[in-house]
Amino acid sequence: ALTEAVRIAAAIGYPRAAWRALAGLGDLARQGGRVAEVAQYASRRREVMAGAARSLADPELRRTLERST
């Protein structure tokens, strides 16, 4: 379900939902001891937030979002 949530969130342009679903997938991977997957999901989360930051017109908001990831 979380993988599908990431796909749908990306399709409709809802980065917050994609970020949260990727966090859930990362947590599940961590609990399962799948270290490579944890790193993959963390990287994808950073990509989602970087894309969201680039979409912001306000430079201060952009910097704040970039610092939070």
Side-chain angles (χ1 to χ4, degrees):
L2 289 172
T3 302
E4 183 69 2
V6 172
R7 187 192 67 72
I8 291 169
I12 65 172
Y14 189 18
R16 183 170 188 246
W19 184 83
R20 291 186 69 169
L22 287 164
L25 287 166
D27 289 344
L28 290 171
R30 187 178 348 280
Q31 291 171 11
R34 298 182 310 273
V35 178
E37 286 181 39
V38 172
Q40 176 189 14
Y41 292 129
S43 175
R44 289 180 62 194
R45 285 179 74 199
R46 286 189 298 274
E47 290 171 10
V48 167
M49 287 289 87
R54 284 190 301 272
S55 74
L56 296 172
D58 184 304
E60 184 59 33
L61 286 175
R62 188 177 323 111
R63 281 190 295 275
T64 299
L65 184 58
E66 289 169 343
R67 283 191 300 260
S68 71
T69 59

